[in-house]
Amino acid sequence: MESSSSTRQLLWFFAIAVCVKLLLIPAYHSTDFEVHRHWLALTHSLPLSNWYADETSPWTLDYPPFFACFERFLSIFAHYIDPQIVDLHNGLNYRANSAIYFLRISVILSDLWLLYGVYRLTKNADVKRRYLIWVLIVWSPALVMVDHLHFQYNGFLLGWLLLSISFLQEGKDLMGGFLFAVLLCFKHLFAVAAPVYFVYLLRHYCWKGLVRGFSRLSVLGAVVVAVFAAAYGPFLYHGQIQQVFNRMFPFGRGLCHAYWAPNFWVFYIILDKVFSFFLKKFGFSIQIPAASFTGGLVGDSSPFAVLPKVIACNRLKQYLKKKKKTQWTWCKFLTT
Amino acid sequence: MVVVDSQSPPKFGDYEAQRHWMEITLNLPVLEWYRNSTGNDLSYWGLDYPPLTAYQSYFHGLFLRFFDPDSVSLFTSRGYETYVGKLLMRWTVLSSDTLIFFPAIFYFAFVYHSSCHSSRKNDCAWHIAMLLLNPCLILIDHGHFQYNCISLGLTVAAIAAILSQRELLASCLFTLALSHKQMSVYYAPAFFSHLLGKCLRRKNPIHGVAKLGLTVLGTFTVVWWPYLHSTDALLGVLSRLAPFERGIYEDYVANFWCTSSVIIKWKRLFSVHSLKFISLTATVLTCLPSMVQQVMAPSSRGFLYGLLNSSFAFYLFSFQVHEKSILLPLLPASLLALEERRPFKWLMFYGLFSMFPLLCRDKLVLPYFALHALFMLLYHAPCGHGGRPRNARPNNTKFDYFDSFKTFMNGFIYLSSFILHIVYLTMHPPEKFPYLFEAIIMLICFYQFALLAFYTNVKQWSLLEHSTTEEEKKLI
């Protein structure tokens, strides 16, 4: 009785959010809309071996294979509703109502997975905490703005994360680890949580004496490897692994994205600007490209005027050569 | 809760009319606003609301001119539609809503719930949500583009003032509302009868009436000052406010004249002049019972019912009623939402339904369904007691048969209305009757409105019998 009424209440929260999201359908959307529409077309029209090699549009596939499969799944319905949505060439920049409604509603429906994750996570929480979590997640304005205005599928991905955490909470570590591995094959950005997972699973699941611990470690390792094999196996078979990684980790784009994330590198940029300003005042000839960091363009590296350019691979190689400071490498590697 | 601005394109009708009024009031002197001249062609969206709307247009015009002068320049800005212009216009409505309507609602909620000792925080929150998230108001003001929030906000403030025994303030605010939109006259009989009833109960009625009269006249003078120097100017404005030549009804509004015109062709049988007289008589007669009740036994609760009844009377029987006028009975129904939960839900459903053809023309179908769904979800919020009457009567087996028949009829009509939504959107009407679906919608809505009006009138009269009960003592 208690759980059915709480399920009803959760559905009520979700329904309210859906109404607001429906009202946002005709609103602004960014280029990410065209990105996802193109990926629907890409995965629908081309065989697997061409997914990461195709250059029809500047919006190339840069998410791991499971997400591409997800787009393939959606494209089945898109094709049924309006074939032009998934047309590789004629669908470029397609803005008809059918495309907009289909894509927007697909995000709204994929949020059901987030709902399931939230439900599982808060099943055993007390009422006040449950409501708080529901309000913060289901009605999160940031998530609504990014997913339903700017256009992304983060709700769906966060659903996997919450699901994984809910299993860890219940003590089912293997399942939690498995789901996290699956999530990594959806969006590699979540690898920022990998160290935490690694340490937690190692300590909580595998630290059970020599034999048992080692066998558990092997099982966990096998599961993760199996997931990654399922995702990247086909591309390994086609000999495209290098291309896939190039697409997933576009280091050529430079240290900072066109729109700055409020992270540590902002200070680096500011320092560079300050140096270039003062050095120029003192008569040095410094080439300062106009609006190199705020121009909003995604291109091949935004140049630093004074300080050395931070290139991931160089640093990576240097550090791996010099010391095994894996934490530091992760930081640099993941903030590019 | 923030009102979501529907991003649909503005309509050339009301949007252009409002923009044009800003243009006129900014560029021409006050006296010319209602006069036909080379600068002001009254046949192109001439001003047809009282002076307060004109002053409000002037202020909004100043705001628009600061950011985008081209949108309000004389003559050249006709049909002007850019993204920035649209955004600014929508912001003027949003700001009026937030600055006038919202505070008025909070004032009312504060007064109403502090006098009602049995109300809980949940009920108060639910009530405020129902008032602020009125889908009709959002769709009309922010979708279709109007400024009803200002006149309705002023009216709500006046009602709250009456509930807190500040009658002079109330009459001042209501006069302002009347000076903003002449449609506020729908509430005038209720205000008049309630205040008269209150005055008659005092020791010196003439003194009370005189004070109120002076407040009203004073407020009128202040607002209409530019037009009071000659009868010509005054009549010029008044003639713009009551365009009788447009006929007794237009389009398919769910009121008596339009619905009965299916059988009795009023426009053919009578001239405009006689129709004016007939509709006036009908309106006054329908208002009369509610007015008499208030004069005999004025009370806060009766006053709210009186507002509902007089606005219903005007909606059903008045001259030149628009579909949008359903907003006027909806307001007192929302104020009474805690006492009359189911009738409120009915009225909202059928009020929205009666506006459905209009909203379809405005391409507001998605916001219509989304806001309607949002309203129903909030109405049935799990924390509140939506749908259940506050003072539920104990189950009496004698009425079970009648109750189940009522439930069946209601369910049947709800279902038919829902199906009609789909039919209207997907099917084409037959060639012989191009407006068949609008007519059916109008018939269903009129039937429901008439039933509700009858019910609320009976309810108001029943208050006379209970005039000495506890509830009355609590609310006065």
Side-chain angles (χ1 to χ4, degrees), chain B residues 11 251 323 356-365 424 438:
Chain B
K11 301 310 121 206
D251 281 337
E323 298 110 319
F356 188 59
L358 172 71
L359 296 170
C360 278
R361 278 202 298 275
D362 282 350
K363 300 194 178 57
L364 287 169
V365 179
Y424 186 83
E438 276 94 336

mmCIF file of all heavy atoms in Angstrom, chain B residues 11 251 323 356-365 424 438:
data_model
loop_
_atom_site.group_PDB
_atom_site.id
_atom_site.type_symbol
_atom_site.label_atom_id
_atom_site.label_comp_id
_atom_site.label_asym_id
_atom_site.label_seq_id
_atom_site.Cartn_x
_atom_site.Cartn_y
_atom_site.Cartn_z
ATOM 1 N N LYS B 11 -0.156 36.596 -32.451
ATOM 2 C CA LYS B 11 -1.180 36.716 -33.465
ATOM 3 C C LYS B 11 -1.222 38.131 -33.994
ATOM 4 O O LYS B 11 -0.990 39.073 -33.272
ATOM 5 C CB LYS B 11 -2.544 36.364 -32.893
ATOM 6 C CG LYS B 11 -2.603 34.968 -32.332
ATOM 7 C CD LYS B 11 -2.079 33.939 -33.284
ATOM 8 C CE LYS B 11 -0.916 33.199 -32.672
ATOM 9 N NZ LYS B 11 0.016 32.629 -33.613
ATOM 10 N N ASP B 251 -18.786 35.135 -33.686
ATOM 11 C CA ASP B 251 -18.202 33.781 -33.624
ATOM 12 C C ASP B 251 -19.120 32.832 -32.855
ATOM 13 O O ASP B 251 -20.320 32.952 -32.899
ATOM 14 C CB ASP B 251 -16.819 33.807 -32.977
ATOM 15 C CG ASP B 251 -15.767 34.280 -33.962
ATOM 16 O OD1 ASP B 251 -16.007 34.155 -35.165
ATOM 17 O OD2 ASP B 251 -14.713 34.779 -33.514
ATOM 18 N N GLU B 323 -15.519 34.747 -26.382
ATOM 19 C CA GLU B 323 -15.195 33.484 -25.697
ATOM 20 C C GLU B 323 -14.270 33.757 -24.523
ATOM 21 O O GLU B 323 -14.329 33.087 -23.501
ATOM 22 C CB GLU B 323 -14.462 32.515 -26.627
ATOM 23 C CG GLU B 323 -15.213 32.062 -27.826
ATOM 24 C CD GLU B 323 -14.621 32.647 -29.082
ATOM 25 O OE1 GLU B 323 -14.262 33.836 -29.062
ATOM 26 O OE2 GLU B 323 -14.525 31.928 -30.066
ATOM 27 N N PHE B 356 -11.375 26.317 -26.995
ATOM 28 C CA PHE B 356 -10.534 25.440 -27.809
ATOM 29 C C PHE B 356 -10.462 25.842 -29.275
ATOM 30 O O PHE B 356 -9.381 25.904 -29.845
ATOM 31 C CB PHE B 356 -10.995 23.993 -27.637
ATOM 32 C CG PHE B 356 -10.091 22.988 -28.264
ATOM 33 C CD1 PHE B 356 -8.768 22.901 -27.882
ATOM 34 C CD2 PHE B 356 -10.555 22.122 -29.246
ATOM 35 C CE1 PHE B 356 -7.924 21.971 -28.464
ATOM 36 C CE2 PHE B 356 -9.714 21.187 -29.817
ATOM 37 C CZ PHE B 356 -8.402 21.111 -29.426
ATOM 38 N N PRO B 357 -11.614 26.130 -29.950
ATOM 39 C CA PRO B 357 -11.512 26.552 -31.360
ATOM 40 C C PRO B 357 -10.660 27.802 -31.535
ATOM 41 O O PRO B 357 -9.850 27.880 -32.449
ATOM 42 C CB PRO B 357 -12.974 26.823 -31.750
ATOM 43 C CG PRO B 357 -13.776 26.022 -30.810
ATOM 44 C CD PRO B 357 -13.027 26.006 -29.533
ATOM 45 N N LEU B 358 -10.818 28.756 -30.597
ATOM 46 C CA LEU B 358 -10.027 29.980 -30.685
ATOM 47 C C LEU B 358 -8.543 29.673 -30.553
ATOM 48 O O LEU B 358 -7.709 30.182 -31.313
ATOM 49 C CB LEU B 358 -10.473 30.936 -29.562
ATOM 50 C CG LEU B 358 -9.640 32.196 -29.351
ATOM 51 C CD1 LEU B 358 -9.847 33.140 -30.484
ATOM 52 C CD2 LEU B 358 -9.997 32.873 -28.043
ATOM 53 N N LEU B 359 -8.204 28.804 -29.585
ATOM 54 C CA LEU B 359 -6.804 28.481 -29.357
ATOM 55 C C LEU B 359 -6.217 27.667 -30.504
ATOM 56 O O LEU B 359 -5.040 27.781 -30.812
ATOM 57 C CB LEU B 359 -6.652 27.727 -28.027
ATOM 58 C CG LEU B 359 -7.034 28.555 -26.812
ATOM 59 C CD1 LEU B 359 -7.095 27.693 -25.573
ATOM 60 C CD2 LEU B 359 -6.047 29.683 -26.606
ATOM 61 N N CYS B 360 -7.069 26.840 -31.135
ATOM 62 C CA CYS B 360 -6.591 26.097 -32.297
ATOM 63 C C CYS B 360 -6.201 27.049 -33.412
ATOM 64 O O CYS B 360 -5.180 26.871 -34.067
ATOM 65 C CB CYS B 360 -7.677 25.155 -32.817
ATOM 66 S SG CYS B 360 -7.733 23.640 -31.911
ATOM 67 N N ARG B 361 -7.029 28.077 -33.599
ATOM 68 C CA ARG B 361 -6.722 29.068 -34.638
ATOM 69 C C ARG B 361 -5.403 29.773 -34.323
ATOM 70 O O ARG B 361 -4.670 30.154 -35.210
ATOM 71 C CB ARG B 361 -7.833 30.127 -34.695
ATOM 72 C CG ARG B 361 -9.040 29.706 -35.484
ATOM 73 C CD ARG B 361 -9.823 30.911 -35.958
ATOM 74 N NE ARG B 361 -10.354 31.727 -34.880
ATOM 75 C CZ ARG B 361 -11.496 31.509 -34.240
ATOM 76 N NH1 ARG B 361 -12.242 30.474 -34.596
ATOM 77 N NH2 ARG B 361 -11.901 32.292 -33.276
ATOM 78 N N ASP B 362 -5.123 29.962 -33.029
ATOM 79 C CA ASP B 362 -3.901 30.635 -32.611
ATOM 80 C C ASP B 362 -2.703 29.703 -32.540
ATOM 81 O O ASP B 362 -1.643 30.114 -32.085
ATOM 82 C CB ASP B 362 -4.096 31.236 -31.205
ATOM 83 C CG ASP B 362 -4.891 32.519 -31.245
ATOM 84 O OD1 ASP B 362 -5.121 33.023 -32.351
ATOM 85 O OD2 ASP B 362 -5.264 33.002 -30.173
ATOM 86 N N LYS B 363 -2.886 28.446 -32.944
ATOM 87 C CA LYS B 363 -1.827 27.428 -32.909
ATOM 88 C C LYS B 363 -1.293 27.212 -31.502
ATOM 89 O O LYS B 363 -0.104 27.073 -31.283
ATOM 90 C CB LYS B 363 -0.668 27.807 -33.840
ATOM 91 C CG LYS B 363 -1.078 27.960 -35.289
ATOM 92 C CD LYS B 363 0.137 27.985 -36.179
ATOM 93 C CE LYS B 363 -0.188 28.096 -37.635
ATOM 94 N NZ LYS B 363 -0.989 29.260 -38.012
ATOM 95 N N LEU B 364 -2.206 27.221 -30.556
ATOM 96 C CA LEU B 364 -1.807 27.014 -29.167
ATOM 97 C C LEU B 364 -2.253 25.650 -28.667
ATOM 98 O O LEU B 364 -2.527 25.471 -27.497
ATOM 99 C CB LEU B 364 -2.407 28.104 -28.274
ATOM 100 C CG LEU B 364 -1.779 29.476 -28.398
ATOM 101 C CD1 LEU B 364 -2.629 30.499 -27.674
ATOM 102 C CD2 LEU B 364 -0.385 29.478 -27.816
ATOM 103 N N VAL B 365 -2.325 24.672 -29.582
ATOM 104 C CA VAL B 365 -2.861 23.371 -29.191
ATOM 105 C C VAL B 365 -1.972 22.692 -28.157
ATOM 106 O O VAL B 365 -2.456 22.181 -27.155
ATOM 107 C CB VAL B 365 -3.017 22.465 -30.426
ATOM 108 C CG1 VAL B 365 -3.557 21.117 -30.016
ATOM 109 C CG2 VAL B 365 -3.924 23.105 -31.439
ATOM 110 N N TYR B 424 -12.182 17.469 -33.554
ATOM 111 C CA TYR B 424 -11.976 18.822 -34.049
ATOM 112 C C TYR B 424 -10.615 18.975 -34.705
ATOM 113 O O TYR B 424 -10.455 19.661 -35.699
ATOM 114 C CB TYR B 424 -12.127 19.821 -32.894
ATOM 115 C CG TYR B 424 -12.083 21.258 -33.339
ATOM 116 C CD1 TYR B 424 -13.213 21.880 -33.840
ATOM 117 C CD2 TYR B 424 -10.904 21.989 -33.271
ATOM 118 C CE1 TYR B 424 -13.180 23.187 -34.256
ATOM 119 C CE2 TYR B 424 -10.864 23.305 -33.689
ATOM 120 C CZ TYR B 424 -11.999 23.896 -34.178
ATOM 121 O OH TYR B 424 -11.958 25.202 -34.589
ATOM 122 N N GLU B 438 -17.715 23.610 -34.063
ATOM 123 C CA GLU B 438 -17.766 24.747 -33.147
ATOM 124 C C GLU B 438 -19.137 24.826 -32.495
ATOM 125 O O GLU B 438 -19.263 25.114 -31.296
ATOM 126 C CB GLU B 438 -17.506 26.066 -33.891
ATOM 127 C CG GLU B 438 -16.052 26.413 -34.080
ATOM 128 C CD GLU B 438 -15.542 25.945 -35.408
ATOM 129 O OE1 GLU B 438 -16.133 25.013 -35.960
ATOM 130 O OE2 GLU B 438 -14.555 26.503 -35.899
#
